[in-house]
């Protein structure tokens, strides 16, 4: 069930803040996770 | 709450996919979901390669789609994918990172849809921001969650609040 894309060229401050917050948290979390697993996989390889 | 999965591409690289669930405070105060509906599970999908400099075989992306579909069916909530605007190394330097992510994610969605039963899954797409700074978002939900998705969309788009 496809819906039409909603295009918001001038987002409200509320939407802007939401998107910025989600993206910032996503970026931080994913880099932490990636670095953790990268370290674990390297450690596993050395053993 | 978070759920994550490390998916090998069997060629030395891995794909990390995670579901980050919005907590109660966020659901009530940011998404403005009425308290009586606040038990709905809403999760944002994050995807990353482990070795950023190494290529990733596409089989890992296909396995990721299977994993996401199984989680969606198990959790029965709302999943969102909001494209990160972080830099991304690709062979398509003229395409913005978020647009590249959006195109790839959509291709994977279309492929998965052609292979599995998606009849009960609805999607809502949003493009947010002016040309050049635009990012993309997609929400996946079952029909029964439509009123909540409508409410969240309305609240986020409301310029008066």
């Amino acid at each position: 069930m496809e819906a039409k894309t909603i295009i918001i060229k001038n987002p409200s401050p509320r939407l802007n803040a939401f998107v910025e917050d989600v993206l910032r948290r996503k970026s931080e979390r994913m880099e932490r996770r990636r670095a953790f697993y990268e370290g674990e996989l390297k450690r596993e390889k050395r053993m | 709450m978070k759920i994550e999965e490390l998916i090998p591409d069997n060629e030395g690289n891995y794909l990390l996919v995670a579901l980050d669930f919005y907590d109660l405070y966020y659901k009530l105060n940011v998404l403005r979901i009425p308290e009586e509906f606040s038990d709905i599970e809403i999760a944002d999908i994050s995807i990353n390669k482990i070795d950023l400099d190494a290529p990733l075989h596409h089989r890992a992306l296909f396995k990721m789609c299977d994993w996401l579909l199984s989680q969606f069916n198990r959790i029965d909530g709302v999943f969102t994918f909001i494209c990160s605007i972080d830099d991304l190394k690709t062979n398509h330097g003229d395409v913005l990172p978020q647009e590249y992510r959006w195109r790839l994610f959509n291709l994977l969605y279309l492929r998965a849809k052609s292979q599995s039963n998606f009849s009960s899954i609805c999607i809502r797409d949003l493009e947010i921001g002016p040309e050049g700074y635009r990012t993309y978002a997609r929400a996946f939900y079952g029909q029964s969650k439509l009123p909540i998705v409508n409410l969240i969309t309305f609240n986020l788009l409301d310029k008066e609040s």
Side-chain angles (χ1 to χ4, degrees):
Chain A
M1 284 177 236
E2 309 292 322
K4 212 171 130 186
T5 301
I6 300 172
I7 299 172
I8 308 130
K9 288 190 176 171
N10 296 302
S12 65
R14 180 175 184 75
L15 179 58
N16 252 338
F18 169 74
V19 171
E20 279 176 19
D21 184 50
V22 169
L23 291 182
R24 182 184 50 78
R25 296 201 300 168
K26 182 194 285 246
S27 184
E28 289 170 0
R29 275 192 301 242
M30 280 313 272
E31 185 44 37
R32 275 202 305 271
R33 284 186 181 122
R34 196 199 63 74
F36 170 78
Y37 281 111
E38 187 180 44
E40 285 297 301
L41 289 165
K42 277 182 185 162
R43 200 163 60 89
E44 208 171 88
K45 214 181 258 185
R46 281 198 301 269
M47 282 167 68
Chain B
M1 182 165 75
K2 64 180 167 68
I3 302 174
E4 56 195 42
E5 182 81 354
L6 195 60
I7 301 170
D9 75 346
N10 298 342
E11 310 244 335
N13 207 350
Y14 290 80
L15 190 65
L16 177 59
V17 54
L19 293 171
D20 289 300
F21 290 80
Y22 294 101
D23 61 24
L24 184 62
Y25 175 87
Y26 215 86
K27 285 191 278 188
L28 292 177
N29 297 290
V30 179
L31 302 178
R32 295 187 175 174
I33 298 171
E35 200 165 353
E36 57 271 33
F37 300 112
S38 61
D39 57 345
I40 186 174
E41 296 288 8
I42 306 174
D44 189 53
I45 302 167
S46 292
I47 305 164
N48 212 352
K49 286 197 298 187
I50 292 295
D51 185 342
L52 297 174
D53 295 322
L56 180 85
H57 195 281
H58 54 255
R59 72 168 64 90
L61 294 167
F62 299 158
K63 281 191 232 170
M64 175 194 76
C65 292
D66 293 341
W67 183 81
L68 282 171
L69 186 57
S70 70
Q71 295 300 317
F72 185 83
N73 289 330
R74 186 176 68 79
I75 292 164
D76 187 30
V78 176
F79 285 8
T80 61
F81 179 70
I82 303 176
C83 292
S84 165
I85 55 174
D86 290 350
D87 284 344
L88 185 68
K89 282 182 196 165
T90 72
N91 295 324
H92 306 273
D94 55 332
V95 180
L96 289 169
Q98 60 270 36
E99 194 176 339
Y100 183 89
R101 289 183 174 98
W102 177 246
R103 288 185 195 174
L104 179 59
F105 191 77
N106 191 44
L107 284 174
L108 289 168
Y109 164 74
L110 293 173
R111 180 186 179 277
K113 193 180 162 192
S114 71
Q115 296 187 342
S116 303
N117 180 13
F118 271 51
S119 60
S120 61
I121 302 177
C122 308
I123 62 168
R124 173 162 303 168
D125 291 344
L126 273 83
E127 292 183 20
I128 307 155
E131 204 70 53
Y133 296 95
R134 184 174 293 171
T135 193
Y136 306 83
R138 172 167 290 167
F140 298 88
Y141 54 95
Q143 189 67 35
S144 65
K145 307 291 184 300
L146 178 63
I148 298 293
V149 172
N150 280 342
L151 186 64
I152 294 170
T153 309
F154 177 81
N155 286 338
L156 287 173
L157 298 187
D158 184 9
K159 286 189 185 294
E160 302 306 315
S161 58

